[in-house]
Amino acid sequence: GDEILALIRGSAVNQDGRSQGLTAPNGPSQQRVIRAALSASGVSPDEIDVVEAHGTGTSLGDPIEAGALAAVFGPTRREDRPLWLGSSKSNLGHTQAAAGVLGVMKMVLALKHEVLPKTLHAEHPSSQIEWEGSGLSLLQEARAWPREASHVRRAGVSSFGISGTNAHVVIEEAPARAHAVSTVDASSLSPMIPLLVSGRDEAALRAQAGRYGEWLSQHPDVDFSSVVATAALHRTQFASRAAVSVRDATEAVEALRALAESRPHAAVSVGEARDRGRVVFVFPGQGSQWPSMGRALLAESAVFAQAIAACETALSKYTDWSLTSVLRGDEDLDPSLLERVDVIQPSLFAMNVALAAVWRSLGLVPSAVVGHSQGEIAAAVVAGILSLEDGARVVALRSQLLRGLSGRGAMAVTELAASIVEERLKAPEWSGLSVAVVNTPGSTVVSGPTEAVERWVGHLGKEGVFCRQVNVDYASHSAEMDPILPELEGLLSDLAPQPGQVAMISTVTGTRCEGSSLNGAYWCRNLRQTVRLDLALTELIGSGHGVFVEASAHPVLAMPLSAASGEHGVVVGSLRRDGGGMSELLRNLGALHVHGVAVDWAKVSGSTKYPVASLPTYAFQRQRYWLEAEKASGDAATMGLSDASHPLLGAATPLAESDAFLLTGRLSLSEAGWLGDHKVFGTVLLPG
């Protein structure tokens, strides 16, 4: 999809064979290198329109170079079609090591703009060159150089270096092509990958955002799909990054200006790319549900829709309600279904499994999975330990048994360390309560009979301890579960767990679990014992995991995940309440990108090909290193120099005649080169 600016048709280099530190140019060697480049290109001298000459600007070098060009191109040149000559040194002075590549850039731009630029200071061609009959002509004025169907435009570029090195390159126009167009209507593309911006540091990032924003404001009709594809696929992604999640150029301009001005903006994610560790998929328990949580993705993502269809088939053996209808939030859906634990938990299981499939389709592959309470069932399926059918059986039967306990228990989040909570629960008044969950060292969940939990919340609230009830009507991970455990183990006695392909860290044990251990007895422990998310996260972080992606309908574990991973980790969700489409997933993918998680944007953007947009180039952060004079008179004599009428510097260091002879053998500061009044940068004029 890159734009082809021009072709390097052929090139050649050679060496004069003489090295005196700074050598005199060698005409025969220059002829040989040009002929070799033409031969490598497969073109004749007549097929070259212009040569961007090295142009030493000296009475020694210019006649030698002009003579070599005349010898190669002159014999067959028509009078009405001379070989045009120019040199970038007439514009910039000597560019030293960049002399050759600058000529290439100049000729590429000349091809693009279809004009041969005027050579400066060439009003009076050098009298030391025999122009008559040479076939050469200076570009004393700019000349049109249009693309023609009957003629391929080509240019030669010469550069002759120190110690007798000669190089010549033949540049050819790129083949004409029709403007590429998007294969789909850009207005129908929803969602869109984020607009990526980056720089080597924060200042460069913000400057680049400003350049992008200004460019977009000046090009309101640009195909925005091409803009985001160009930024993602055709620009280097530096360490300081931002991802702008917007729908069109108008929204982008506002967000980019906020980024450029260091103002927060809801559509902008900013981060520093560095190694964050390996990726973990996190599956929460109950609490992430909301009405119509799967509607948008069912319409926008084929991967999600296929995964949900597979889950519905697996669950249908145990349920009498439609998974798809629940996730879409169909109008004829019985509202009471969304309050039943035996509907909520299987629905969340399907959302978790399907979201993991979508993340994988975007190129994000987990190194480990971890589940919280019932989330362990989805984790086991994604890890490959349980088949989808076995996972559906576990979640369906488990939740149906829980429904029989509805209304008899409660749970409450308590912002105290587990050790403190355990000590307080030893008091007789709290004998019915259990530590249900330890999310972080300072956050604990208690579980038990409804009346006891309500008293606990009220009592700790009076002490100033943050404590609130969770929106459930049963008491998981407490003695309230004991009556159903024998039946659950019997229903799952023939479960067939496998070794799995992805590591699973158990929140029952806090360690990596072997696939074979996830039998019926394990799922009873999963329901009855304390959820030790804190131990599981310690294990994950200690083994090099630092990127936590919560695969759920709404992020409910962001706080404990962020607290555990610290500033070096990355925590993102998948969807959020009232934000259930691909745009939210891609926004989170952009957040991963800005923090350094590798994203294959070519895979994410799909097979659609967009033309490359002419986005602004990099916002270089330039720095001056030279000292500034306190008082600059502009008089060279005040610095011990004599005036050489240099158009930019106005000064050159004088050399004694003997010094000049020792350096080059025949250097003269007073003689004009073949570019006439051409002035050369530097304090000493030297050939080459």
Side-chain angles (χ1 to χ4, degrees), residues 294-635:
R295 175 184 292 174
L297 272 186
L298 282 168
E300 295 173 357
S301 171
V303 172
F304 183 83
Q306 291 166 7
I308 291 298
C311 288
E312 182 151 31
T313 299
L315 287 167
S316 63
K317 300 174 183 178
Y318 312 98
T319 61
D320 58 359
W321 46 270
S322 168
L323 173 65
T324 302
S325 181
V326 169
L327 297 185
R328 279 200 311 250
D330 291 348
E331 292 183 3
D332 59 351
L333 187 70
D334 182 357
S336 65
L337 281 176
L338 301 178
E339 299 175 2
R340 287 169 39 184
V341 65
D342 61 324
V343 175
I344 293 173
Q345 291 196 355
S347 298
L348 291 179
F349 163 80
M351 287 291 297
N352 294 354
V353 170
L355 284 169
V358 175
W359 278 117
R360 277 180 157 158
S361 75
L362 297 176
L364 197 67
V365 179
S367 294
V369 296
V370 64
H372 191 285
S373 189
Q374 76 162 77
E376 282 205 303
I377 307 171
V381 171
V382 173
I385 296 173
L386 291 184
S387 67
L388 181 61
E389 290 71 20
D390 277 350
R393 177 155 67 113
V394 173
V395 73
L397 298 178
R398 178 184 188 272
S399 62
Q400 287 166 8
L401 291 174
L402 278 173
R403 186 184 179 192
L405 299 176
S406 294
R408 294 168 48 181
M411 304 175 76
V413 176
T414 305
E415 293 303 307
L416 287 175
S419 58
I420 297 175
V421 173
E422 288 172 345
E423 188 64 31
R424 299 191 67 158
L425 292 183
K426 292 178 180 178
E429 60 181 313
W430 310 120
S431 59
L433 298 181
S434 302
V435 174
V437 178
V438 182
N439 284 328
T440 67
S443 179
T444 308
V445 178
V446 298
S447 179
T450 304
E451 182 274 333
V453 171
E454 290 175 347
R455 282 192 296 107
W456 172 268
V457 172
H459 185 79
L460 268 70
K462 292 179 182 178
E463 295 182 6
V465 176
F466 177 82
C467 191
R468 66 173 177 82
Q469 280 190 241
V470 180
N471 187 27
V472 295
D473 63 352
Y474 52 88
S476 294
H477 313 292
S478 76
E480 295 293 310
M481 299 293 104
D482 290 345
I484 65 172
L485 296 181
E487 184 178 0
L488 178 62
E489 185 171 3
L491 290 171
L492 303 178
S493 60
D494 60 344
L495 209 60
Q498 301 297 316
Q501 296 84 45
V502 179
M504 177 175 168
I505 308 303
S506 169
T507 50
V508 175
T509 65
T511 61
R512 178 170 178 167
C513 54
E514 298 298 328
S516 59
S517 67
L518 300 190
N519 52 24
Y522 178 87
W523 296 109
C524 291
R525 296 170 63 199
N526 164 272
L527 182 58
R528 175 63 176 89
Q529 291 183 200
T530 302
V531 177
R532 295 306 303 260
L533 180 65
D534 60 329
L535 297 181
L537 293 179
T538 299
E539 172 73 17
L540 284 164
I541 293 168
S543 58
H545 296 84
V547 179
F548 297 91
V549 179
E550 187 172 337
S552 67
H554 183 80
V556 295
L557 295 176
M559 290 182 64
L561 292 173
S562 297
S565 58
E567 62 179 10
H568 298 295
V570 180
V571 177
V572 301
S574 298
L575 307 180
R576 57 183 172 82
R577 288 185 177 88
D578 302 321
M582 278 298 298
S583 57
E584 183 65 17
L585 267 164
L586 293 176
R587 185 185 70 83
N588 286 311
L589 189 65
L592 291 173
H593 164 80
V594 302
H595 289 292
V597 179
V599 176
D600 185 350
W601 292 108
K603 181 176 183 179
V604 174
S605 59
S607 59
T608 302
K609 301 299 183 184
Y610 299 101
V612 178
S614 300
L615 287 175
T617 51
Y618 185 76
F620 289 101
Q621 303 298 290
R622 294 178 171 85
Q623 183 176 355
R624 295 162 64 104
Y625 289 96
W626 55 85
L627 298 175
E628 300 289 354
E630 293 184 5
K631 294 181 179 180
S633 66
D635 183 359

Side-chain angles (χ1 to χ4, degrees), residues 9 61 63 77 111 119 179 206 222 229 261 434 462 595 624:
R9 183 64 184 257
R77 212 75 190 185
L111 288 166
T119 296
H179 289 292
R206 300 196 184 282
V222 68
E261 296 167 7
S434 302
K462 292 179 182 178
H595 289 292
R624 295 162 64 104

Side-chain angles (χ1 to χ4, degrees), residues 228-239:
V228 296
T230 300
L233 306 179
H234 302 275
R235 292 292 186 272
T236 300
Q237 303 301 327
F238 293 104

Side-chain angles (χ1 to χ4, degrees), residues 210-242:
R211 287 166 70 92
Y212 278 10
E214 184 63 25
W215 186 86
L216 283 170
S217 69
Q218 295 173 2
H219 298 80
D221 298 327
V222 68
D223 178 359
F224 192 62
S225 300
S226 297
V227 170
V228 296
T230 300
L233 306 179
H234 302 275
R235 292 292 186 272
T236 300
Q237 303 301 327
F238 293 104
S240 191
R241 298 178 178 180

